[in-house]
Coordinates of all heavy atoms in Angstrom, one line a residue:
T1 N 16.9 -0.8 -9.6 CA 15.5 -1.0 -9.3 C 14.7 0.3 -9.5 O 15.4 1.4 -9.4 CB 15.3 -1.6 -7.9 OG1 13.9 -1.8 -7.6 CG2 15.9 -0.6 -6.8
Y2 N 13.5 0.2 -9.7 CA 12.6 1.3 -9.6 C 11.9 1.4 -8.2 O 11.8 0.3 -7.6 CB 11.5 1.3 -10.7 CG 12.1 1.8 -12.0 CD1 13.1 1.1 -12.7 CD2 11.6 3.0 -12.6 CE1 13.6 1.5 -13.9 CE2 12.1 3.4 -13.8 CZ 13.1 2.7 -14.5 OH 13.6 3.2 -15.6
V3 N 11.5 2.5 -7.8 CA 10.9 2.7 -6.5 C 9.6 3.5 -6.6 O 9.5 4.3 -7.4 CB 11.9 3.3 -5.4 CG1 13.1 2.5 -5.2 CG2 12.3 4.7 -5.9
V4 N 8.7 3.2 -5.6 CA 7.5 4.0 -5.5 C 7.7 5.0 -4.4 O 8.2 4.6 -3.3 CB 6.3 3.1 -5.2 CG1 5.0 3.9 -5.1 CG2 6.1 2.0 -6.2
T5 N 7.4 6.2 -4.6 CA 7.6 7.2 -3.6 C 6.2 7.7 -3.0 O 5.2 7.2 -3.4 CB 8.3 8.5 -4.2 OG1 7.4 9.1 -5.2 CG2 9.6 8.0 -4.9
D6 N 6.3 8.7 -2.1 CA 5.1 9.1 -1.4 C 4.0 9.7 -2.3 O 2.9 9.9 -1.8 CB 5.4 9.9 -0.2 CG 6.2 11.1 -0.5 OD1 6.6 11.3 -1.7 OD2 6.5 11.9 0.4
N7 N 4.3 10.0 -3.5 CA 3.2 10.5 -4.4 C 2.2 9.4 -4.6 O 1.0 9.7 -5.1 CB 3.8 10.9 -5.8 CG 4.4 12.2 -5.8 OD1 4.5 12.9 -4.8 ND2 5.0 12.6 -6.9
C8 N 2.5 8.2 -4.3 CA 1.6 7.1 -4.5 C 0.5 7.0 -3.4 O -0.5 6.4 -3.6 CB 2.3 5.8 -4.5 SG 1.3 4.3 -4.7
I9 N 0.7 7.7 -2.3 CA -0.2 7.5 -1.1 C -1.6 7.8 -1.5 O -1.9 8.9 -2.1 CB 0.3 8.3 0.1 CG1 1.6 7.7 0.6 CG2 -0.8 8.4 1.2 CD1 2.2 8.5 1.7
A10 N -2.5 6.9 -1.3 CA -3.9 7.0 -1.6 C -4.3 7.1 -3.0 O -5.4 7.4 -3.4 CB -4.5 8.2 -0.8
C11 N -3.3 6.7 -3.9 CA -3.5 6.7 -5.3 C -4.4 5.5 -5.6 O -4.2 4.4 -5.1 CB -2.2 6.6 -6.1 SG -2.4 6.2 -7.8
K12 N -5.4 5.7 -6.4 CA -6.4 4.6 -6.7 C -6.0 3.8 -8.0 O -6.7 2.9 -8.3 CB -7.8 5.1 -6.8 CG -8.2 5.8 -5.5 CD -8.6 4.8 -4.4 CE -9.3 5.5 -3.3 NZ -8.7 5.1 -2.0
Y13 N -5.0 4.3 -8.7 CA -4.7 3.7 -10.0 C -3.8 2.5 -9.8 O -2.9 2.5 -8.9 CB -4.1 4.7 -10.9 CG -4.9 5.9 -11.2 CD1 -4.8 7.0 -10.5 CD2 -6.0 5.7 -12.1 CE1 -5.6 8.1 -10.7 CE2 -6.8 6.8 -12.4 CZ -6.6 8.0 -11.7 OH -7.4 9.1 -11.9
T14 N -3.9 1.5 -10.6 CA -3.0 0.4 -10.5 C -2.4 0.1 -11.9 O -2.1 -1.1 -12.3 CB -3.6 -0.9 -10.0 OG1 -4.8 -1.2 -10.7 CG2 -3.9 -0.8 -8.5
D15 N -2.3 1.1 -12.7 CA -1.8 1.0 -14.1 C -0.4 0.4 -14.1 O -0.1 -0.5 -15.0 CB -1.7 2.4 -14.8 CG -3.1 3.1 -14.8 OD1 -3.7 3.1 -13.7 OD2 -3.4 3.7 -15.8
C16 N 0.4 0.7 -13.2 CA 1.7 0.2 -13.1 C 1.8 -1.3 -12.8 O 2.6 -2.0 -13.4 CB 2.5 0.9 -11.9 SG 1.6 0.8 -10.3
V17 N 0.9 -1.7 -12.0 CA 0.8 -3.2 -11.6 C 0.5 -4.0 -12.9 O 1.1 -5.1 -13.1 CB -0.3 -3.4 -10.6 CG1 -0.3 -4.9 -10.2 CG2 0.0 -2.6 -9.3
E18 N -0.4 -3.5 -13.7 CA -0.8 -4.2 -14.9 C 0.3 -4.3 -15.9 O 0.3 -5.3 -16.6 CB -2.1 -3.5 -15.5 CG -3.3 -3.9 -14.7 CD -4.5 -2.9 -14.9 OE1 -4.6 -2.4 -16.0 OE2 -5.2 -2.7 -14.0
V19 N 1.1 -3.4 -16.0 CA 2.2 -3.5 -17.1 C 3.4 -4.2 -16.6 O 4.2 -4.6 -17.5 CB 2.6 -2.1 -17.6 CG1 1.4 -1.4 -18.3 CG2 3.2 -1.2 -16.6
C20 N 3.6 -4.4 -15.3 CA 4.9 -5.0 -14.9 C 5.0 -6.4 -15.3 O 4.2 -7.2 -15.0 CB 5.0 -4.9 -13.3 SG 6.5 -5.6 -12.7
P21 N 6.1 -6.7 -16.1 CA 6.2 -8.1 -16.6 C 6.6 -9.1 -15.6 O 6.4 -10.3 -15.8 CB 7.4 -7.9 -17.7 CG 8.1 -6.8 -17.2 CD 7.2 -5.8 -16.5
V22 N 7.1 -8.7 -14.4 CA 7.5 -9.7 -13.4 C 6.6 -9.6 -12.1 O 7.0 -10.3 -11.1 CB 9.0 -9.6 -13.0 CG1 9.9 -9.9 -14.2 CG2 9.3 -8.2 -12.5
D23 N 5.5 -8.9 -12.2 CA 4.6 -8.8 -11.0 C 5.3 -8.5 -9.7 O 5.1 -9.2 -8.7 CB 3.9 -10.2 -10.9 CG 2.7 -10.3 -11.8 OD1 2.2 -9.2 -12.3 OD2 2.3 -11.4 -12.2
C24 N 6.2 -7.5 -9.7 CA 6.9 -7.2 -8.5 C 6.3 -6.1 -7.7 O 6.9 -5.6 -6.7 CB 8.4 -7.0 -8.8 SG 8.7 -5.6 -9.8
F25 N 5.1 -5.7 -8.0 CA 4.4 -4.7 -7.1 C 3.7 -5.4 -6.0 O 3.1 -6.5 -6.2 CB 3.3 -3.9 -8.0 CG 4.0 -2.8 -8.8 CD1 4.4 -3.1 -10.1 CD2 4.2 -1.6 -8.2 CE1 5.0 -2.1 -10.8 CE2 4.7 -0.5 -9.0 CZ 5.1 -0.8 -10.3
Y26 N 3.7 -4.8 -4.8 CA 3.0 -5.3 -3.7 C 2.1 -4.2 -3.2 O 2.5 -3.0 -3.2 CB 3.9 -5.8 -2.6 CG 4.7 -7.0 -3.1 CD1 5.8 -6.9 -3.9 CD2 4.2 -8.3 -2.8 CE1 6.5 -8.0 -4.4 CE2 4.9 -9.4 -3.2 CZ 6.0 -9.2 -4.1 OH 6.6 -10.4 -4.5
E27 N 0.9 -4.5 -2.7 CA 0.0 -3.5 -2.2 C 0.0 -3.3 -0.7 O -0.2 -4.3 0.0 CB -1.4 -4.0 -2.7 CG -2.4 -2.8 -2.7 CD -3.7 -3.1 -3.5 OE1 -3.7 -4.2 -4.2 OE2 -4.6 -2.3 -3.4
G28 N 0.3 -2.1 -0.3 CA 0.2 -1.8 1.1 C -1.2 -1.3 1.4 O -2.1 -1.3 0.6
E29 N -1.4 -0.7 2.6 CA -2.7 -0.3 3.0 C -3.2 0.9 2.1 O -4.3 0.9 1.7 CB -2.6 0.2 4.5 CG -3.9 -0.1 5.2 CD -3.6 0.1 6.7 OE1 -2.6 -0.4 7.2 OE2 -4.5 0.8 7.3
N30 N -2.3 1.8 1.9 CA -2.8 3.0 1.0 C -1.7 3.4 0.0 O -1.7 4.5 -0.5 CB -3.1 4.2 1.9 CG -2.0 4.5 2.8 OD1 -0.9 4.0 2.8 ND2 -2.3 5.5 3.7
F31 N -0.9 2.4 -0.4 CA 0.1 2.7 -1.4 C 0.7 1.4 -2.0 O 0.4 0.3 -1.4 CB 1.3 3.5 -0.8 CG 1.9 2.9 0.4 CD1 2.8 1.9 0.4 CD2 1.4 3.4 1.6 CE1 3.3 1.3 1.5 CE2 1.9 2.8 2.8 CZ 2.8 1.8 2.8
L32 N 1.4 1.5 -3.1 CA 2.0 0.3 -3.7 C 3.5 0.4 -3.5 O 4.0 1.5 -3.3 CB 1.7 0.3 -5.2 CG 0.2 0.1 -5.6 CD1 0.1 0.4 -7.1 CD2 -0.3 -1.2 -5.3
V33 N 4.2 -0.7 -3.5 CA 5.6 -0.7 -3.4 C 6.2 -1.7 -4.5 O 5.4 -2.6 -4.9 CB 6.2 -1.1 -2.0 CG1 5.9 0.0 -1.0 CG2 5.6 -2.4 -1.5
I34 N 7.5 -1.5 -4.8 CA 8.1 -2.4 -5.7 C 9.2 -3.2 -5.0 O 10.0 -2.6 -4.2 CB 8.8 -1.6 -6.8 CG1 7.8 -0.9 -7.7 CG2 9.8 -2.5 -7.7 CD1 8.4 0.1 -8.7
H35 N 9.2 -4.5 -5.1 CA 10.3 -5.3 -4.5 C 11.6 -5.1 -5.2 O 11.7 -5.4 -6.4 CB 9.9 -6.8 -4.5 CG 10.8 -7.5 -3.5 ND1 12.1 -7.5 -3.5 CD2 10.5 -8.3 -2.4 CE1 12.6 -8.3 -2.5 NE2 11.6 -8.7 -1.8
P36 N 12.6 -4.5 -4.6 CA 13.8 -4.1 -5.3 C 14.6 -5.3 -5.8 O 15.4 -5.1 -6.8 CB 14.6 -3.3 -4.2 CG 14.0 -3.6 -2.9 CD 12.6 -4.1 -3.1
D37 N 14.4 -6.5 -5.3 CA 15.2 -7.6 -5.8 C 14.5 -8.3 -6.9 O 15.1 -9.1 -7.7 CB 15.4 -8.7 -4.7 CG 16.2 -8.1 -3.5 OD1 17.0 -7.2 -3.8 OD2 16.1 -8.6 -2.4
E38 N 13.2 -8.0 -7.1 CA 12.4 -8.6 -8.2 C 12.3 -7.8 -9.4 O 12.1 -8.2 -10.5 CB 11.0 -9.0 -7.6 CG 11.1 -10.1 -6.5 CD 9.7 -10.4 -5.9 OE1 8.7 -9.9 -6.4 OE2 9.7 -11.1 -4.9
C39 N 12.4 -6.4 -9.2 CA 12.3 -5.5 -10.3 C 13.5 -5.7 -11.3 O 14.6 -5.8 -10.8 CB 12.4 -4.1 -9.8 SG 12.5 -2.8 -11.0
I40 N 13.2 -5.8 -12.6 CA 14.2 -6.0 -13.6 C 14.6 -4.8 -14.3 O 15.3 -4.8 -15.3 CB 13.8 -7.1 -14.6 CG1 12.5 -6.7 -15.3 CG2 13.6 -8.5 -13.9 CD1 12.1 -7.6 -16.5
D41 N 14.2 -3.6 -13.7 CA 14.6 -2.3 -14.3 C 14.2 -2.1 -15.7 O 14.9 -1.4 -16.5 CB 16.2 -2.2 -14.3 CG 16.7 -1.5 -13.1 OD1 15.9 -0.8 -12.4 OD2 17.8 -1.7 -12.7
C42 N 13.0 -2.6 -16.1 CA 12.6 -2.5 -17.5 C 12.1 -1.0 -17.7 O 12.1 -0.6 -18.9 CB 11.5 -3.5 -17.8 SG 9.9 -3.2 -17.1
G43 N 11.5 -0.4 -16.7 CA 11.1 1.0 -16.8 C 9.7 1.2 -17.4 O 9.3 2.4 -17.5
V44 N 9.0 0.1 -17.8 CA 7.7 0.4 -18.4 C 6.7 1.0 -17.4 O 5.7 1.6 -17.9 CB 7.1 -0.9 -19.1 CG1 8.0 -1.4 -20.2 CG2 6.7 -2.0 -18.1
C45 N 6.8 0.8 -16.1 CA 5.8 1.3 -15.2 C 5.9 2.8 -15.0 O 4.9 3.4 -14.7 CB 6.0 0.6 -13.8 SG 7.7 0.8 -13.1
E46 N 7.1 3.3 -15.2 CA 7.3 4.8 -14.8 C 6.3 5.7 -15.6 O 5.6 6.5 -15.0 CB 8.7 5.2 -15.0 CG 9.0 6.6 -14.6 CD 10.4 7.1 -14.8 OE1 11.2 6.3 -15.4 OE2 10.7 8.2 -14.5
P47 N 6.2 5.6 -16.9 CA 5.3 6.5 -17.6 C 3.8 6.1 -17.4 O 3.0 7.0 -17.7 CB 5.7 6.3 -19.1 CG 6.4 5.0 -19.2 CD 7.0 4.8 -17.8
E48 N 3.5 5.0 -16.9 CA 2.1 4.6 -16.6 C 1.6 5.2 -15.4 O 0.4 5.2 -15.2 CB 2.0 3.0 -16.5 CG 2.4 2.2 -17.7 CD 1.5 2.6 -18.9 OE1 0.3 2.8 -18.7 OE2 2.0 2.6 -20.0
C49 N 2.4 5.6 -14.5 CA 2.0 6.1 -13.2 C 1.4 7.5 -13.3 O 2.1 8.5 -13.6 CB 3.1 6.2 -12.2 SG 2.6 6.8 -10.6
P50 N 0.0 7.7 -13.1 CA -0.6 9.0 -13.2 C -0.2 10.0 -12.1 O -0.3 11.2 -12.3 CB -2.1 8.7 -13.1 CG -2.2 7.3 -12.6 CD -0.9 6.6 -12.7
A51 N 0.4 9.5 -11.0 CA 0.8 10.3 -9.9 C 2.3 10.7 -10.0 O 2.8 11.3 -9.1 CB 0.5 9.7 -8.6
E52 N 3.0 10.2 -11.0 CA 4.5 10.3 -11.1 C 5.2 9.9 -9.8 O 6.1 10.6 -9.4 CB 4.8 11.8 -11.5 CG 4.2 12.1 -12.9 CD 4.7 13.5 -13.4 OE1 5.5 14.1 -12.8 OE2 4.1 13.9 -14.5
A53 N 4.7 8.8 -9.3 CA 5.3 8.3 -8.0 C 6.5 7.3 -8.2 O 7.1 7.0 -7.2 CB 4.2 7.7 -7.2
I54 N 6.7 6.9 -9.5 CA 7.7 5.9 -9.7 C 9.0 6.5 -10.3 O 8.9 7.2 -11.2 CB 7.2 4.8 -10.6 CG1 5.9 4.2 -10.0 CG2 8.2 3.7 -10.9 CD1 5.2 3.1 -10.9
L55 N 10.1 6.2 -9.6 CA 11.4 6.7 -10.1 C 12.4 5.6 -10.1 O 12.4 4.6 -9.4 CB 11.9 7.7 -9.0 CG 11.1 9.0 -8.7 CD1 11.8 9.7 -7.5 CD2 11.1 9.9 -9.9
P56 N 13.4 5.7 -11.0 CA 14.6 4.8 -11.0 C 15.5 5.2 -9.8 O 15.6 6.3 -9.4 CB 15.3 5.0 -12.3 CG 14.9 6.4 -12.7 CD 13.6 6.7 -12.1
D57 N 16.2 4.2 -9.2 CA 17.0 4.5 -8.1 C 18.3 5.2 -8.5 O 19.2 5.5 -7.7 CB 17.3 3.3 -7.2 CG 18.2 2.3 -7.9 OD1 18.5 2.4 -9.1 OD2 18.7 1.3 -7.2
T58 N 18.5 5.5 -9.8 CA 19.6 6.3 -10.2 C 19.3 7.8 -10.0 O 20.2 8.6 -10.1 CB 19.8 6.1 -11.7 OG1 18.6 6.2 -12.4 CG2 20.4 4.7 -12.0
E59 N 18.1 8.2 -9.6 CA 17.8 9.5 -9.2 C 18.4 9.8 -7.9 O 18.5 8.9 -7.0 CB 16.3 9.8 -9.1 CG 15.5 9.6 -10.5 CD 15.7 10.8 -11.4 OE1 15.8 12.0 -10.9 OE2 15.9 10.6 -12.6
P60 N 18.7 11.1 -7.6 CA 19.3 11.4 -6.3 C 18.3 11.2 -5.1 O 17.1 11.3 -5.3 CB 19.7 12.9 -6.4 CG 19.1 13.4 -7.6 CD 18.7 12.3 -8.5
D61 N 18.9 10.9 -4.0 CA 18.1 10.7 -2.8 C 16.9 9.7 -2.8 O 15.9 9.9 -2.3 CB 17.4 12.1 -2.4 CG 18.5 13.2 -2.2 OD1 19.6 12.8 -1.6 OD2 18.3 14.3 -2.6
T62 N 17.2 8.6 -3.5 CA 16.2 7.6 -3.6 C 16.5 6.4 -2.6 O 15.7 5.5 -2.5 CB 16.0 7.0 -5.0 OG1 17.2 6.7 -5.5 CG2 15.3 8.0 -5.9
E63 N 17.6 6.5 -1.9 CA 18.0 5.3 -1.0 C 17.0 5.0 0.0 O 16.7 3.8 0.2 CB 19.3 5.6 -0.3 CG 20.5 5.3 -1.1 CD 21.8 5.9 -0.5 OE1 21.9 5.8 0.7 OE2 22.6 6.3 -1.3
K64 N 16.4 6.0 0.6 CA 15.4 5.7 1.6 C 14.1 5.1 1.0 O 13.5 4.3 1.6 CB 15.0 7.0 2.4 CG 14.3 8.0 1.5 CD 13.7 9.2 2.4 CE 13.0 10.2 1.4 NZ 12.3 11.2 2.1
W65 N 13.9 5.4 -0.2 CA 12.7 4.8 -0.9 C 13.0 3.4 -1.3 O 12.1 2.5 -1.2 CB 12.3 5.6 -2.1 CG 11.7 6.9 -1.8 CD1 12.3 8.2 -2.1 CD2 10.6 7.2 -1.0 NE1 11.5 9.1 -1.5 CE2 10.4 8.6 -0.9 CE3 9.6 6.3 -0.4 CZ2 9.4 9.2 -0.2 CZ3 8.6 6.9 0.3 CH2 8.5 8.3 0.4
V66 N 14.2 3.0 -1.6 CA 14.5 1.6 -1.9 C 14.3 0.8 -0.6 O 13.6 -0.2 -0.6 CB 16.0 1.4 -2.3 CG1 16.3 0.0 -2.5 CG2 16.2 2.2 -3.6
E67 N 14.7 1.3 0.6 CA 14.5 0.6 1.8 C 13.1 0.5 2.2 O 12.6 -0.5 2.7 CB 15.3 1.3 3.0 CG 16.8 1.1 2.8 CD 17.2 -0.3 2.4 OE1 16.7 -1.3 3.1 OE2 17.8 -0.5 1.4
F68 N 12.3 1.6 1.9 CA 10.9 1.6 2.2 C 10.2 0.6 1.4 O 9.3 -0.2 1.8 CB 10.4 3.0 1.9 CG 8.9 3.2 2.1 CD1 8.4 3.7 3.3 CD2 8.1 3.1 1.0 CE1 7.0 3.9 3.4 CE2 6.7 3.2 1.1 CZ 6.2 3.7 2.3
N69 N 10.5 0.6 0.1 CA 9.9 -0.4 -0.8 C 10.2 -1.8 -0.4 O 9.3 -2.7 -0.5 CB 10.3 -0.1 -2.3 CG 9.5 1.0 -2.9 OD1 8.8 0.8 -3.9 ND2 9.7 2.2 -2.4
R70 N 11.5 -2.1 0.0 CA 11.8 -3.4 0.4 C 11.1 -3.8 1.6 O 10.5 -4.9 1.7 CB 13.3 -3.4 0.7 CG 13.8 -4.8 1.1 CD 15.3 -4.8 1.5 NE 16.2 -4.4 0.5 CZ 16.5 -5.1 -0.6 NH1 16.1 -6.4 -0.7 NH2 17.3 -4.6 -1.5
K71 N 11.0 -2.9 2.6 CA 10.4 -3.2 3.8 C 8.9 -3.6 3.6 O 8.4 -4.6 4.1 CB 10.5 -2.0 4.8 CG 9.8 -2.2 6.1 CD 10.1 -1.0 7.0 CE 9.2 -1.0 8.2 NZ 9.0 0.3 8.8
Y72 N 8.2 -2.8 2.9 CA 6.8 -3.0 2.7 C 6.4 -4.2 1.8 O 5.4 -4.8 1.9 CB 6.0 -1.7 2.4 CG 5.9 -0.9 3.6 CD1 6.8 0.1 3.9 CD2 4.9 -1.2 4.5 CE1 6.7 0.8 5.1 CE2 4.8 -0.5 5.7 CZ 5.7 0.5 6.0 OH 5.7 1.2 7.2
S73 N 7.3 -4.4 0.8 CA 7.0 -5.6 -0.1 C 7.3 -6.9 0.6 O 6.7 -7.9 0.2 CB 7.8 -5.5 -1.4 OG 9.2 -5.4 -1.2
E74 N 8.1 -6.9 1.7 CA 8.3 -8.1 2.5 C 7.2 -8.3 3.5 O 7.0 -9.4 4.0 CB 9.7 -8.1 3.0 CG 10.7 -8.4 1.9 CD 12.1 -8.3 2.2 OE1 12.5 -7.9 3.3 OE2 13.0 -8.5 1.3
I75 N 6.6 -7.2 4.0 CA 5.6 -7.3 5.0 C 4.3 -7.9 4.5 O 3.6 -8.7 5.1 CB 5.3 -5.9 5.7 CG1 6.5 -5.6 6.6 CG2 4.0 -5.9 6.4 CD1 6.4 -4.2 7.2
W76 N 3.9 -7.3 3.3 CA 2.5 -7.6 2.9 C 2.5 -8.9 2.1 O 3.4 -9.3 1.4 CB 2.0 -6.5 2.0 CG 2.0 -5.2 2.7 CD1 2.9 -4.2 2.5 CD2 1.1 -4.8 3.7 NE1 2.6 -3.2 3.4 CE2 1.5 -3.5 4.1 CE3 0.0 -5.4 4.4 CZ2 0.9 -2.8 5.2 CZ3 -0.6 -4.7 5.4 CH2 -0.2 -3.4 5.8
Ligands
SF4_101 FE1 8.1 -3.9 -12.9 FE2 9.7 -3.0 -14.9 FE3 8.5 -1.3 -13.1 FE4 10.5 -2.9 -12.3 S1 10.7 -1.2 -13.8 S2 8.6 -2.5 -11.2 S3 10.1 -4.7 -13.5 S4 7.5 -2.6 -14.6

């Protein structure tokens, strides 16, 4: 899965949402999250993010972000 990190906070762009083929972005109060079970790992959103907030979970130390994205995509 890909995850949204805190670089997204207060970001006004939704370029990533528009390119996602499976619509797995969810909008929080001041950030976006990716539902980790719905993301198909296509990677097209990563270069679209102007805040460089999107990372693959193969990067180190992304476990907490996977949990954060899961939590908020299920709340909203
Ligand atoms: Fe959507 Fe692909 Fe990004 Fe996953 S990697 S959130 S499926 S655009």
Side-chain angles (χ1 to χ4, degrees):
T1 184
Y2 278 67
V3 295
V4 180
T5 67
D6 54 358
N7 281 359
C8 177
I9 291 173
C11 172
K12 301 281 188 230
Y13 300 99
T14 53
D15 306 44
C16 54
V17 178
E18 283 161 33
V19 298
C20 179
V22 293
D23 281 336
C24 62
F25 280 91
Y26 292 82
E27 198 165 351
E29 214 168 312
N30 53 6
F31 50 83
L32 298 167
V33 289
I34 294 170
H35 195 302
D37 298 335
E38 295 175 7
C39 173
I40 58 169
D41 265 341
C42 72
V44 301
C45 57
E46 186 183 2
E48 296 299 323
C49 177
E52 296 185 9
I54 303 175
L55 299 173
D57 71 348
T58 49
E59 294 286 320
D61 303 321
T62 50
E63 274 168 40
K64 66 171 181 172
W65 291 115
V66 176
E67 288 318 304
F68 177 91
N69 279 245
R70 179 185 302 283
K71 181 174 166 202
Y72 284 94
S73 54
E74 287 172 357
I75 285 176
W76 303 106

